Amino acid sequence: MDIAKIRNVAFVGHGGVGKTSLVESILFACGATTRLGRVDDGTTTTDFDADEIKRKISLNTATAFCDYKGHRLNVIDTPGYGDFVADARGGLRVAGAAVVVVDAIAGVQVQTEKVWKFANEYGLPRVVVINRLDRERADFFRTLESLQKRLKGRLVPMQLPIGSESGFSGVVDLIAMRALTWADGKMKDGDIPADLAESAKSYRERLTEASAETDDDLLAKYLEEGSIGEEEMLAALRRAVMAGSVVPVIATAASRSIGVAPLLDLIVKEFPSPADSGETEGVDPRTKAPVKRAPDPKAPLCALVFKTISDPHVGKLSIFRIYSGTLRSDSQVYNASRDSRERIGHLGWLSGKTQKPVESLGPGEIGVVAKLKDTLTGDTLCDEGQPVVLSGIVFPEPAISFAIQPKTRGDEDKISTALQRMAEEDPTLHHHYDPETKQLLVSGMGQLHVEVVVERMKRKYNVEVSLLPPRIPYKETVKGRAEVQGKYKKQTGGRGQYGDTWLRIEPLTRGGGFEFVDDIFGGAIPRNFIPSVEKGVRDCMKRGILAGYPVVDLKITLYDGSYHDVDSSDMAFQIAASMGLQKGFMEARPCLLEPVMNVEVTGPAEGAGDVIGDLNGRRGRIVGMEPDGDVVAVRAQVPMSEMLTYESALRSMTGGRGGYSMEFSHYEELPGQLAEKVVAAYRAEKEKH
Ligand SMILES: Nc1nc2c(ncn2[C@@H]2O[C@H](COP(=O)(O)OP(=O)(O)O)[C@@H](O)[C@H]2O)c(=O)[nH]1
Ligand SMILES: [Mg+2]
C-alpha cells in the first residue's frame, strides 16, 4: 500500500456527541458498508460489542477502514464517557491526526477537555467538528465561541452552516467559496446563498490570514494583493494544520450525513500521512540506546499494539499499527516489551468485528492478528535481530474498588479466569485478592465501569457475581515519632529463634512513601540480617496495622539491636522488626488517610446553588466556578467516600441535566470520628474470620 495515501484518524470527544454516528456515515459514504447503521438501533460498525448495543454508548476503542479518492482511511472510534475515555489514549497514540467532535448545544464538555489534552500529549494535528447541528437550540457560532474560550489553540471556521436546527441543510465551503447542500443523502454544489455572502467573505478572510501567518512570503503577498489563490491557500492551511497552529472548525449532522464528504476531503487533503509523520523513536531494550525507525517497508519491523480484544470463543485479538518494515502472515516476531517470541498466523484489516484477510502489512497500516500468547496493549512487536521498544500507552490508575462475591459457591476459579481475560483487553481494570478480608476486589474507573464488567462476566464467561459496597482505598500513617524495641525470642527444644531490633518511627511528608535507614554501628546486628529487618518492616506495612490498609509516608531507622550466634536467622529478624513496628506505630499517633477526588460538575446555572450546597455537605471544598452561557461548571475537591452515591443525587438535583466527572487528586487525613468507624468495622470483620 502506498504510504502517502494512508490516513490514520482517531475520532474523540465527550460521550454522546456523535462520533460513532459520524464514523458510520463515513464508512457508508465510502462504500465500505452497504447500509447506514444507527447507534439507536445497535447496528453501527464500531459499536459492535453486546454491552455497547445494550447501552447505546461506546465502551471500547474500535477501528474500521475505508477507501476514499484513492486513499486508505483507518478510522478509530473511541469512547467518550468518563469511565471509558482512557481507552481513547490507545487510539490517539497510533493516529496521525484527530477529529474532535463536539455537540452543537453543549459545546466543550468535561471529556472534550480531557481528549484535547491527550491529543496535545501526542502532538496531533486536529479538526473540530461541530455536530448535531440539526437539533433544536443547536448553534454553530455560540458553540464556536465556547470552543475558542475553553480550548487552547487557534480555532478557525473552515465552513459556515446553511440553515439552522431542523432547517440545517449544508455548509459554505470557505476555501472553494461554494455552497454544499444535502437532500435525501445526496450532496449538491451551488452558489453561496445571498444572505450568507457577506459573512462568508469575512470568515474567508480570517481563514486566509490564519493560514498565511505560518508563511512570511505568503502573508506579504496576501497583504499586498488582498487575496491568495485556492491552491496556495490550501497548501498554507495544510502546513498550519500539520504544525498545529490552526485548528479548522467544520459543521455536520452525522446522522443525516450532512457535511460528511467535506470532512473526508479535509482528512485526505489536510491531514498527514504516516510518511509525513516521519521517523518514530524507540529504545533498544538491550542497550537502552535510542533507536529511530523510518516508515520504510524494507526497514526492520516495528509495530505497536494499541488495543486488545478478548473473547471466550474467538480468543485474543491484537490490533496494532506498523511503524516500519513489513509484517507477513505465517511469520514469527519478537515482543521486545516482554522478551518473548510470538507466532503470527493470519493477518487482517479490521472493520468493527469483521476481519478481512491480508498477506502482509506495511508501514502506517493498521491490522489485526489473533492468538498472540504474551502480547498486551502497549507492547512493541519487532524483528528479534533488531529489537526496539516504543513508548507504550499510559493508562490511569483505577479510582474505585468493589468487593465481589460469587452467586454460586465454588465459582471462584471461573471468576478469576474471567477477570484475567477481561484485564487483558481493559488496562484500566485491576483485581486482587485481599487475604485480610478474604475478599476479591475489582477496581475500575467508576461505578458504571465495574457494573459493565460484572455484566460482561455473566454474558461472556457465564459466571454471576454480586457487588458489595465499594471499598475505599484508605491508607495508614503516623503523625508522631516513637522509638521501640522489637524482639523475638523462642526457645523450644532444639535450635531457638532470636532477633532483636530497635526502631525509630517517623512520619514523612504526604506522598513521601517509605524510607528505610540503616544506622547500625559496631555490628550490633550483622550485615546479612539488615535486609531481613527491612523486609519484616515492609511486609508489615503492606498488611496494615490500624485497620488493614497499607502504611505509607513512613521513615524507619534501625539504630540498635542484638543477635545470637546460633539462634538468629532471617525469619527471626523479620518477625522481630514486624513486632517492633506494630508496637511503635500505635505509639506514634497513627491515623488514616482518605483519597480525595477532583470533581467537576456541570449543570444548569439556576441549580448551581444546590450543587454547591450538596458538595459542601459531602465535606467538599469548592475550588472554582465557571459560568458558560446557561451552564455552570463547578470544580471541587471531595473525599471519595462521599461521592459513592453522587450519580443519583445529581440526577435528582438537576432533573437529569447535570453531569460530572471525577479523578483521584491526593490523600488527606480522615477526621477522627470517621476514622474510628473504619477501625471498628475492620475489627468486627476480623473477628468474623
Ligand atoms: N439529531 C442528531 N442526532 C445525532 C447526530 N449524530 C448523532 N446523533 C445521535 O446522538 C446520539 C449519540 O451518538 P453517538 O454516535 O453514539 O455518539 P458518540 O458517543 O460520540 O459516539 C445517538 O442517539 C445518535 O443517533 C446528528 O447529527 N443529529
Ligand atoms: Mg461512540
Side-chain angles (χ1 to χ4, degrees):
M1 184 167 299
D2 180 358
I3 182 170
K5 296 277 160 73
I6 299 176
R7 299 289 182 274
N8 295 325
V9 185
F11 288 70
V12 295
H14 197 89
V17 298
K19 300 176 290 297
T20 301
S21 307
L22 195 55
V23 164
E24 188 64 22
S25 297
I26 284 175
L27 296 175
F28 182 66
C30 292
T33 53
T34 48
R35 56 185 279 266
L36 182 66
R38 299 180 57 84
V39 172
D40 309 83
D41 304 339
T43 51
T44 61
T45 306
T46 49
D47 276 2
F48 58 83
D49 182 87
D51 293 306
E52 296 180 316
I53 292 170
K54 181 182 153 203
R55 291 176 187 268
K56 300 191 172 67
I57 64 173
S58 308
L59 303 171
N60 287 299
T61 286
T63 61
F65 65 92
C66 58
D67 293 311
Y68 182 72
K69 295 188 179 167
H71 289 71
R72 164 56 57 95
L73 267 52
N74 292 311
V75 290
I76 307 171
D77 182 24
T78 70
Y81 285 90
D83 284 9
F84 307 96
V85 72
D87 211 31
R89 278 180 169 272
L92 288 166
R93 171 69 179 82
V94 296
V99 173
V100 180
V101 186
V102 300
D103 179 73
I105 298 173
V108 175
Q109 291 169 281
V110 176
Q111 306 307 335
T112 319
E113 286 181 323
K114 187 165 277 172
V115 296
W116 194 263
K117 280 186 203 141
F118 291 171
N120 286 347
E121 269 175 52
Y122 298 121
L124 292 183
R126 68 203 78 162
V127 57
V128 172
V129 174
I130 300 182
N131 186 42
R132 308 218 290 179
L133 271 162
D134 58 327
R135 292 202 311 155
E136 216 175 296
R137 294 197 301 127
D139 188 331
F140 181 84
F141 294 99
R142 203 191 57 225
T143 308
L144 179 67
E145 223 173 276
S146 123
L147 293 169
Q148 287 168 331
K149 209 162 61 188
R150 292 186 59 187
L151 300 176
K152 286 203 178 60
R154 183 148 186 203
L155 292 110
V156 191
M158 206 173 130
Q159 298 174 348
L160 299 180
I162 299 177
S164 64
E165 301 188 339
S166 61
F168 173 61
S169 62
V171 299
V172 173
D173 174 345
L174 293 173
I175 291 176
M177 288 303 264
R178 301 287 296 165
L180 307 172
T181 48
W182 280 260
D184 304 325
K186 294 238 159 19
M187 186 175 88
K188 215 173 78 208
D189 181 321
D191 290 332
I192 297 175
D195 59 331
L196 283 175
E198 242 347 271
S199 66
K201 210 170 133 240
S202 106
Y203 274 100
R204 181 186 160 85
E205 264 167 36
R206 291 190 211 179
L207 182 63
T208 312
E209 264 171 41
S211 318
E213 261 170 32
T214 49
D215 182 331
D216 290 343
D217 293 342
L218 197 63
L219 188 62
K221 184 176 168 196
Y222 172 65
L223 293 177
E224 215 166 276
E225 299 175 10
S227 73
I228 49 175
E230 189 178 324
E231 284 299 304
E232 268 179 315
M233 181 158 160
L234 266 177
L237 182 62
R238 180 158 204 261
R239 276 194 301 273
V241 169
M242 299 245 264
S245 54
V246 168
V247 177
V249 180
I250 64 168
T252 63
S255 51
R256 293 164 59 181
S257 290
I258 298 180
V260 171
L263 171 60
L264 285 166
D265 283 322
L266 184 151
I267 288 173
V268 163
K269 287 187 192 145
E270 316 292 341
F271 279 172
S273 78
D276 296 317
S277 307
E279 289 182 325
T280 198
E281 281 178 35
V283 180
D284 184 324
R286 298 164 307 191
T287 61
K288 307 290 174 226
V291 180
K292 280 191 180 165
R293 285 292 162 74
D296 174 353
K298 293 196 193 65
L301 175 74
C302 140
L304 184 78
V305 176
F306 64 94
K307 179 71 194 170
T308 307
I309 302 175
S310 176
D311 187 280
H313 307 297
V314 187
K316 186 161 87 172
L317 296 179
S318 303
I319 313 176
F320 56 86
R321 176 189 153 171
I322 300 197
Y323 283 86
S324 69
T326 303
L327 181 61
R328 287 173 222 288
S329 289
D330 296 318
S331 61
Q332 186 171 300
V333 297
Y334 178 62
N335 180 330
S337 311
R338 299 191 188 273
D339 186 23
S340 89
R341 291 188 186 129
E342 292 278 16
R343 251 204 59 72
I344 300 290
H346 300 299
L347 291 174
W349 288 326
L350 196 59
S351 191
K353 61 180 170 190
T354 315
Q355 291 186 44
K356 181 159 187 232
V358 292
E359 257 324 290
S360 68
L361 294 164
E365 286 196 80
I366 287 179
V368 61
V369 62
K371 299 197 167 63
L372 298 184
K373 58 182 196 326
D374 299 323
T375 301
L376 292 177
T377 300
D379 289 358
T380 307
L381 303 175
C382 59
D383 280 352
E384 188 164 2
Q386 309 213 42
V388 57
V389 176
L390 303 177
S391 67
I393 303 159
V394 182
F395 290 98
E397 285 301 312
I400 195 166
S401 296
F402 288 80
I404 61 171
Q405 258 178 356
K407 284 199 176 153
T408 314
R409 271 190 177 278
D411 264 356
E412 285 79 2
D413 283 353
K414 260 166 106 182
I415 294 175
S416 77
T417 309
L419 283 171
Q420 228 144 348
R421 289 280 147 69
M422 283 191 281
E424 280 181 355
E425 59 180 342
D426 181 353
T428 60
L429 172 67
H430 295 221
H431 61 101
H432 77 276
Y433 180 73
D434 184 342
E436 202 60 46
T437 56
K438 299 194 168 51
Q439 282 180 324
L440 185 59
L441 298 178
V442 173
S443 319
M445 303 310 297
Q447 185 155 351
L448 180 60
H449 183 201
V450 176
E451 281 169 6
V452 167
V453 165
V454 167
E455 278 173 31
R456 207 170 271 184
M457 230 189 283
K458 180 176 170 195
R459 187 173 42 74
K460 275 183 154 183
Y461 299 90
N462 204 17
V463 44
E464 286 196 61
V465 300
S466 36
L467 275 185
L468 303 180
R471 200 177 131 91
I472 306 296
Y474 294 113
K475 293 193 192 302
E476 302 181 3
T477 191
V478 293
K479 288 187 280 185
R481 289 164 46 112
E483 291 187 348
V484 285
Q485 182 182 29
K487 187 168 174 178
Y488 181 59
K489 190 174 164 186
K490 210 167 186 183
Q491 231 98 42
T492 44
R495 202 188 137 186
Q497 291 287 349
Y498 187 92
D500 176 22
T501 59
W502 279 90
L503 305 173
R504 185 177 306 123
I505 297 166
E506 293 164 277
L508 290 176
T509 51
R510 203 60 61 238
F514 172 59
E515 203 181 316
F516 182 80
V517 180
D518 163 20
D519 209 6
I520 292 287
F521 287 102
I525 296 176
R527 290 281 78 160
N528 57 316
F529 291 133
I530 309 262
S532 314
V533 173
E534 181 171 349
K535 180 158 192 302
V537 166
R538 278 186 188 272
D539 288 349
C540 178
M541 286 175 64
K542 222 186 281 169
R543 284 194 304 271
I545 299 166
L546 195 58
Y549 295 98
V551 177
V552 295
D553 305 343
L554 199 67
K555 178 177 170 183
I556 302 279
T557 309
L558 172 65
Y559 65 95
D560 204 357
S562 66
Y563 71 104
H564 185 281
D565 276 337
V566 180
D567 290 350
S568 280
S569 67
D570 169 42
M571 193 41 77
F573 270 103
Q574 282 190 40
I575 296 172
S578 162
M579 288 166 62
L581 176 58
Q582 287 182 50
K583 188 164 107 201
F585 190 82
M586 298 309 285
E587 289 171 16
R589 294 175 41 223
C591 67
L592 287 177
L593 300 174
E594 65 172 338
V596 176
M597 313 299 282
N598 279 326
V599 180
E600 182 172 327
V601 187
T602 47
E606 69 269 17
D610 292 345
V611 167
I612 289 173
D614 174 78
L615 288 174
N616 282 329
R618 294 173 191 271
R619 297 191 287 129
R621 198 161 50 228
I622 308 296
V623 292
M625 208 176 114
E626 274 166 47
D628 185 2
D630 47 9
V631 177
V632 167
V634 178
R635 286 176 224 267
Q637 293 200 317
V638 193
M640 181 197 276
S641 61
E642 304 285 345
M643 291 299 287
L644 298 177
T645 53
Y646 195 60
E647 196 145 358
S648 52
L650 181 66
R651 206 181 304 130
S652 58
M653 244 183 312
T654 60
R657 290 202 286 150
Y660 79 106
S661 77
M662 92 182 161
E663 60 189 13
F664 171 74
S665 168
H666 65 281
Y667 273 90
E668 261 175 44
E669 186 182 343
L670 179 67
Q673 247 181 339
L674 294 172
E676 275 163 29
K677 274 192 198 156
V678 174
V679 173
Y682 168 73
R683 298 228 169 101
E685 186 66 27
K686 212 172 165 185
E687 253 155 46
K688 263 200 276 170
H689 293 298

PDB file of all heavy atoms in Angstrom, residues 633-648:
ATOM      1  N   ALA A 633     -19.965  25.246  35.348  1.00  0.00           N
ATOM      2  CA  ALA A 633     -19.083  24.153  35.746  1.00  0.00           C
ATOM      3  C   ALA A 633     -18.551  24.468  37.136  1.00  0.00           C
ATOM      4  O   ALA A 633     -17.960  25.519  37.351  1.00  0.00           O
ATOM      5  CB  ALA A 633     -17.932  24.021  34.755  1.00  0.00           C
ATOM      6  N   VAL A 634     -18.793  23.577  38.087  1.00  0.00           N
ATOM      7  CA  VAL A 634     -18.308  23.754  39.456  1.00  0.00           C
ATOM      8  C   VAL A 634     -17.176  22.763  39.682  1.00  0.00           C
ATOM      9  O   VAL A 634     -17.330  21.573  39.419  1.00  0.00           O
ATOM     10  CB  VAL A 634     -19.426  23.485  40.484  1.00  0.00           C
ATOM     11  CG1 VAL A 634     -18.896  23.632  41.906  1.00  0.00           C
ATOM     12  CG2 VAL A 634     -20.601  24.427  40.254  1.00  0.00           C
ATOM     13  N   ARG A 635     -16.029  23.277  40.130  1.00  0.00           N
ATOM     14  CA  ARG A 635     -14.911  22.386  40.439  1.00  0.00           C
ATOM     15  C   ARG A 635     -14.735  22.297  41.942  1.00  0.00           C
ATOM     16  O   ARG A 635     -14.794  23.312  42.630  1.00  0.00           O
ATOM     17  CB  ARG A 635     -13.613  22.920  39.831  1.00  0.00           C
ATOM     18  CG  ARG A 635     -13.529  22.753  38.340  1.00  0.00           C
ATOM     19  CD  ARG A 635     -12.263  23.407  37.814  1.00  0.00           C
ATOM     20  NE  ARG A 635     -12.549  24.165  36.613  1.00  0.00           N
ATOM     21  CZ  ARG A 635     -12.428  23.658  35.380  1.00  0.00           C
ATOM     22  NH1 ARG A 635     -12.011  22.435  35.208  1.00  0.00           N
ATOM     23  NH2 ARG A 635     -12.714  24.387  34.327  1.00  0.00           N
ATOM     24  N   ALA A 636     -14.515  21.093  42.423  1.00  0.00           N
ATOM     25  CA  ALA A 636     -14.374  20.918  43.867  1.00  0.00           C
ATOM     26  C   ALA A 636     -13.462  19.741  44.163  1.00  0.00           C
ATOM     27  O   ALA A 636     -13.195  18.920  43.296  1.00  0.00           O
ATOM     28  CB  ALA A 636     -15.745  20.667  44.485  1.00  0.00           C
ATOM     29  N   GLN A 637     -12.981  19.721  45.420  1.00  0.00           N
ATOM     30  CA  GLN A 637     -12.263  18.555  45.901  1.00  0.00           C
ATOM     31  C   GLN A 637     -13.107  17.905  46.987  1.00  0.00           C
ATOM     32  O   GLN A 637     -13.474  18.569  47.958  1.00  0.00           O
ATOM     33  CB  GLN A 637     -10.903  18.951  46.444  1.00  0.00           C
ATOM     34  CG  GLN A 637      -9.989  19.464  45.331  1.00  0.00           C
ATOM     35  CD  GLN A 637      -8.532  19.411  45.705  1.00  0.00           C
ATOM     36  OE1 GLN A 637      -8.168  19.756  46.816  1.00  0.00           O
ATOM     37  NE2 GLN A 637      -7.693  18.972  44.783  1.00  0.00           N
ATOM     38  N   VAL A 638     -13.417  16.645  46.790  1.00  0.00           N
ATOM     39  CA  VAL A 638     -14.339  15.952  47.685  1.00  0.00           C
ATOM     40  C   VAL A 638     -13.777  14.570  48.016  1.00  0.00           C
ATOM     41  O   VAL A 638     -13.264  13.896  47.122  1.00  0.00           O
ATOM     42  CB  VAL A 638     -15.723  15.775  47.001  1.00  0.00           C
ATOM     43  CG1 VAL A 638     -16.767  15.352  48.027  1.00  0.00           C
ATOM     44  CG2 VAL A 638     -16.158  17.039  46.278  1.00  0.00           C
ATOM     45  N   PRO A 639     -13.880  14.163  49.301  1.00  0.00           N
ATOM     46  CA  PRO A 639     -13.421  12.813  49.640  1.00  0.00           C
ATOM     47  C   PRO A 639     -14.174  11.749  48.841  1.00  0.00           C
ATOM     48  O   PRO A 639     -15.380  11.876  48.627  1.00  0.00           O
ATOM     49  CB  PRO A 639     -13.752  12.687  51.134  1.00  0.00           C
ATOM     50  CG  PRO A 639     -13.813  14.083  51.632  1.00  0.00           C
ATOM     51  CD  PRO A 639     -14.327  14.905  50.484  1.00  0.00           C
ATOM     52  N   MET A 640     -13.462  10.724  48.397  1.00  0.00           N
ATOM     53  CA  MET A 640     -14.070   9.677  47.580  1.00  0.00           C
ATOM     54  C   MET A 640     -15.257   9.017  48.279  1.00  0.00           C
ATOM     55  O   MET A 640     -16.278   8.729  47.662  1.00  0.00           O
ATOM     56  CB  MET A 640     -13.017   8.615  47.253  1.00  0.00           C
ATOM     57  CG  MET A 640     -13.532   7.491  46.384  1.00  0.00           C
ATOM     58  SD  MET A 640     -12.457   6.046  46.421  1.00  0.00           S
ATOM     59  CE  MET A 640     -11.261   6.487  45.213  1.00  0.00           C
ATOM     60  N   SER A 641     -15.124   8.819  49.594  1.00  0.00           N
ATOM     61  CA  SER A 641     -16.176   8.086  50.305  1.00  0.00           C
ATOM     62  C   SER A 641     -17.506   8.829  50.263  1.00  0.00           C
ATOM     63  O   SER A 641     -18.559   8.235  50.444  1.00  0.00           O
ATOM     64  CB  SER A 641     -15.752   7.868  51.759  1.00  0.00           C
ATOM     65  OG  SER A 641     -15.575   9.125  52.385  1.00  0.00           O
ATOM     66  N   GLU A 642     -17.473  10.133  50.009  1.00  0.00           N
ATOM     67  CA  GLU A 642     -18.699  10.929  49.987  1.00  0.00           C
ATOM     68  C   GLU A 642     -19.325  10.964  48.593  1.00  0.00           C
ATOM     69  O   GLU A 642     -20.396  11.521  48.398  1.00  0.00           O
ATOM     70  CB  GLU A 642     -18.400  12.370  50.424  1.00  0.00           C
ATOM     71  CG  GLU A 642     -17.753  12.487  51.783  1.00  0.00           C
ATOM     72  CD  GLU A 642     -18.730  12.259  52.929  1.00  0.00           C
ATOM     73  OE1 GLU A 642     -19.950  12.282  52.686  1.00  0.00           O
ATOM     74  OE2 GLU A 642     -18.252  12.026  54.062  1.00  0.00           O
ATOM     75  N   MET A 643     -18.607  10.411  47.611  1.00  0.00           N
ATOM     76  CA  MET A 643     -19.068  10.544  46.225  1.00  0.00           C
ATOM     77  C   MET A 643     -19.692   9.266  45.675  1.00  0.00           C
ATOM     78  O   MET A 643     -20.050   9.192  44.508  1.00  0.00           O
ATOM     79  CB  MET A 643     -17.896  10.958  45.321  1.00  0.00           C
ATOM     80  CG  MET A 643     -17.403  12.373  45.553  1.00  0.00           C
ATOM     81  SD  MET A 643     -18.670  13.620  45.231  1.00  0.00           S
ATOM     82  CE  MET A 643     -18.756  13.570  43.421  1.00  0.00           C
ATOM     83  N   LEU A 644     -19.830   8.248  46.523  1.00  0.00           N
ATOM     84  CA  LEU A 644     -20.283   6.947  46.022  1.00  0.00           C
ATOM     85  C   LEU A 644     -21.710   6.968  45.506  1.00  0.00           C
ATOM     86  O   LEU A 644     -22.072   6.235  44.614  1.00  0.00           O
ATOM     87  CB  LEU A 644     -20.136   5.888  47.118  1.00  0.00           C
ATOM     88  CG  LEU A 644     -18.690   5.686  47.572  1.00  0.00           C
ATOM     89  CD1 LEU A 644     -18.622   4.691  48.711  1.00  0.00           C
ATOM     90  CD2 LEU A 644     -17.831   5.220  46.413  1.00  0.00           C
ATOM     91  N   THR A 645     -22.519   7.842  46.085  1.00  0.00           N
ATOM     92  CA  THR A 645     -23.926   7.855  45.679  1.00  0.00           C
ATOM     93  C   THR A 645     -24.222   9.118  44.872  1.00  0.00           C
ATOM     94  O   THR A 645     -25.373   9.524  44.752  1.00  0.00           O
ATOM     95  CB  THR A 645     -24.825   7.867  46.926  1.00  0.00           C
ATOM     96  OG1 THR A 645     -24.397   8.967  47.752  1.00  0.00           O
ATOM     97  CG2 THR A 645     -24.707   6.586  47.705  1.00  0.00           C
ATOM     98  N   TYR A 646     -23.197   9.714  44.325  1.00  0.00           N
ATOM     99  CA  TYR A 646     -23.389  11.035  43.734  1.00  0.00           C
ATOM    100  C   TYR A 646     -24.255  11.013  42.475  1.00  0.00           C
ATOM    101  O   TYR A 646     -25.044  11.914  42.242  1.00  0.00           O
ATOM    102  CB  TYR A 646     -22.041  11.679  43.428  1.00  0.00           C
ATOM    103  CG  TYR A 646     -22.169  13.153  43.165  1.00  0.00           C
ATOM    104  CD1 TYR A 646     -22.675  13.998  44.144  1.00  0.00           C
ATOM    105  CD2 TYR A 646     -21.828  13.692  41.938  1.00  0.00           C
ATOM    106  CE1 TYR A 646     -22.834  15.337  43.914  1.00  0.00           C
ATOM    107  CE2 TYR A 646     -21.973  15.045  41.695  1.00  0.00           C
ATOM    108  CZ  TYR A 646     -22.483  15.864  42.683  1.00  0.00           C
ATOM    109  OH  TYR A 646     -22.637  17.186  42.449  1.00  0.00           O
ATOM    110  N   GLU A 647     -24.064   9.960  41.692  1.00  0.00           N
ATOM    111  CA  GLU A 647     -24.746   9.906  40.409  1.00  0.00           C
ATOM    112  C   GLU A 647     -26.257  10.135  40.540  1.00  0.00           C
ATOM    113  O   GLU A 647     -26.826  10.999  39.868  1.00  0.00           O
ATOM    114  CB  GLU A 647     -24.468   8.556  39.755  1.00  0.00           C
ATOM    115  CG  GLU A 647     -24.803   8.551  38.297  1.00  0.00           C
ATOM    116  CD  GLU A 647     -23.839   7.691  37.489  1.00  0.00           C
ATOM    117  OE1 GLU A 647     -22.875   7.132  38.064  1.00  0.00           O
ATOM    118  OE2 GLU A 647     -24.074   7.584  36.294  1.00  0.00           O
ATOM    119  N   SER A 648     -26.885   9.376  41.440  1.00  0.00           N
ATOM    120  CA  SER A 648     -28.339   9.503  41.547  1.00  0.00           C
ATOM    121  C   SER A 648     -28.709  10.823  42.233  1.00  0.00           C
ATOM    122  O   SER A 648     -29.715  11.441  41.890  1.00  0.00           O
ATOM    123  CB  SER A 648     -28.923   8.317  42.307  1.00  0.00           C
ATOM    124  OG  SER A 648     -28.254   8.162  43.532  1.00  0.00           O
TER     125      SER A 648
END
